[in-house]
Amino acid sequence: MPSTISKLAQKVHEVPGIENLKIFWSFIHRLRITLGMTPYRELYETPNGLVFLSARINTPLSRKKEVIAIPKDNMICTYVKNYGEWGSIEANYLVSIANKEHFAATSHITLIDFGAHAGLVSKIFLDKFVGDKIEVILVDPLPMNVEAQTHNLRKYSKVVKQCEIAITPLTGVVQFEVDLNNIGASKLKNNLIMPYHSRIIEVPGISAQHFELSYLQNSSRIIYKSDLEGLDAKIINQFSGDVWNRMVGGIIELDPNSNLEKKEANELSKKFSGFYLSLNSDMSKLLSISDLCDILESVGGPPLNLYFTK
């Protein structure tokens, strides 16, 4: 059922003239961006392209005057500077699960953040988590992203574990494709595509099975978040039944072009059978296992976030 907040938002959305009001505020915000009146101002940029931004106002990412670090690109860095947030919907969903679990039991909670980038989702999560029994594992193979994480999560260093590796189908050195068009997305190299605007680097990779053995042996409750540019469904499908039993909820990005085989899609759908599933963070419209299987087997269309919880 929709929450009271979502019902109110729906009523506001139905008010006559609301579209004109939204257009007006969009114009005002674009004017502010043009004039440089953005939520963040750029302090400086390091020689390796790490940008340090200072908050002019309180934002979902930081308090006023707090400084955050983000690798320079035309996607995440630009959006944060202009709009003052990134990933807050996802972070708020994850922390709602964590806070509920914290009050329900006394054991530690582990948040896995695959494709952590600058650690912004984990930062919002930790800023809003109400307890102290937490461990956050950030996984990203790019040194600049790890450097940004170190700065952004420095006050949480005791509960944060950084892994400068790529999560991959198989353990070993892998080729990683860094986008030179400066839009922010990086991914494992697809050998079928010639990367005209990419730089290929070699990074250490770890499979889901080896990650499980190395990092999750002592995790009693797991919250899962991944943004792996098409590998999300394949990676989460590789975790053992033991990890699935300890998983209490999370978010994965479903890419319709991930090319899951029918058998893989069926296997993954069955593993989600004990969860509530939705494409909306407020869980206002639930998916059936059949719906999920159709999505996993589809080809084309934009990536979708799958929200799941027990």
Side-chain angles (χ1 to χ4, degrees):
M1 287 181 68
S3 66
T4 302
I5 294 176
S6 62
K7 287 180 180 177
L8 178 60
Q10 184 176 359
K11 289 181 180 179
V12 170
H13 183 74
E14 292 171 352
V15 172
I18 193 68
E19 287 301 320
N20 290 334
L21 185 61
K22 288 165 67 177
I23 292 172
F24 171 74
W25 281 115
S26 176
F27 168 76
I28 292 297
H29 192 74
R30 289 181 180 276
L31 180 62
R32 291 178 63 190
I33 292 173
T34 302
L35 297 175
M37 300 167 61
T38 55
Y40 283 92
R41 65 185 180 91
E42 186 172 327
L43 293 180
Y44 61 92
E45 179 183 339
T46 62
N48 67 344
L50 195 62
V51 177
F52 287 81
L53 303 174
S54 176
R56 290 190 170 104
I57 57 175
N58 291 338
T59 76
L61 278 172
S62 62
R63 306 292 294 175
K64 184 177 180 180
K65 296 185 179 180
E66 186 178 349
V67 176
I68 59 174
I70 308 177
K72 184 176 183 180
D73 60 34
N74 290 328
M75 185 173 67
I76 298 178
C77 185
T78 301
Y79 194 91
V80 168
K81 183 177 179 180
N82 291 341
Y83 294 93
E85 70 102 11
W86 181 267
S88 58
I89 292 175
E90 292 84 353
N92 289 337
Y93 175 77
L94 296 171
V95 82
S96 70
I97 297 173
N99 285 341
K100 181 179 68 175
E101 288 295 319
H102 171 72
F103 286 119
T106 57
S107 54
H108 272 71
I109 301 167
T110 299
L111 170 68
I112 304 170
D113 189 348
F114 286 143
H117 195 260
L120 302 182
V121 171
S122 287
K123 183 183 187 305
I124 299 174
F125 175 93
L126 287 167
D127 285 344
K128 294 189 173 185
F129 181 64
V130 297
D132 56 357
K133 295 180 175 64
I134 188 74
E135 176 188 34
V136 176
I137 304 175
L138 298 99
V139 180
D140 197 293
L142 299 183
M144 192 185 305
N145 290 349
V146 175
E147 185 179 344
Q149 295 166 20
T150 301
H151 173 87
N152 296 334
L153 300 171
R154 59 196 181 281
K155 68 178 179 179
Y156 300 114
S157 59
K158 291 183 179 179
V159 300
V160 167
K161 184 178 294 183
Q162 293 170 276
C163 303
E164 196 173 326
I165 53 178
I167 187 77
T168 64
L170 298 173
T171 296
V173 176
V174 296
Q175 290 188 319
F176 207 73
E177 183 180 334
V178 180
D179 195 310
L180 295 181
N181 283 332
N182 211 22
I183 65 168
S186 304
K187 58 187 177 181
L188 286 182
K189 181 178 179 295
N190 184 339
N191 291 321
L192 300 178
I193 300 175
M194 291 298 292
Y196 294 108
H197 301 288
S198 301
R199 177 168 62 95
I200 305 301
I201 62 173
E202 290 191 339
V203 299
I206 188 171
S207 69
Q209 294 93 335
H210 283 152
F211 182 87
E212 178 180 336
L213 291 171
S214 300
Y215 296 100
L216 300 180
Q217 291 300 296
N218 299 319
S219 301
S220 58
R221 290 174 298 160
I222 298 169
I223 297 175
Y224 191 96
K225 173 261 175 184
S226 73
D227 185 355
L228 299 173
E229 302 298 324
L231 274 179
D232 303 77
K234 189 176 288 290
I235 293 299
I236 197 173
N237 204 15
Q238 293 180 344
F239 281 106
S240 71
D242 183 46
V243 167
W244 278 92
N245 289 336
R246 289 180 281 155
M247 206 176 294
V248 295
I251 310 166
I252 70 167
E253 185 180 74
L254 298 180
D255 188 337
N257 299 301
S258 57
N259 298 320
L260 276 189
E261 296 179 3
K262 186 176 182 65
K263 181 181 178 182
E264 290 179 301
N266 288 333
E267 287 177 355
L268 182 54
S269 297
K270 290 176 182 177
K271 290 175 181 177
F272 275 114
S273 61
F275 295 87
Y276 295 103
L277 309 171
S278 181
L279 300 180
N280 307 309
S281 61
D282 63 0
M283 308 299 282
S284 57
K285 185 177 180 181
L286 298 179
L287 298 177
S288 67
I289 295 301
S290 177
D291 294 332
L292 176 60
C293 201
D294 289 343
I295 293 172
L296 291 172
E297 293 181 18
S298 65
V299 177
L304 304 167
N305 275 343
L306 175 70
Y307 298 87
F308 60 98
T309 185
K310 287 185 175 176

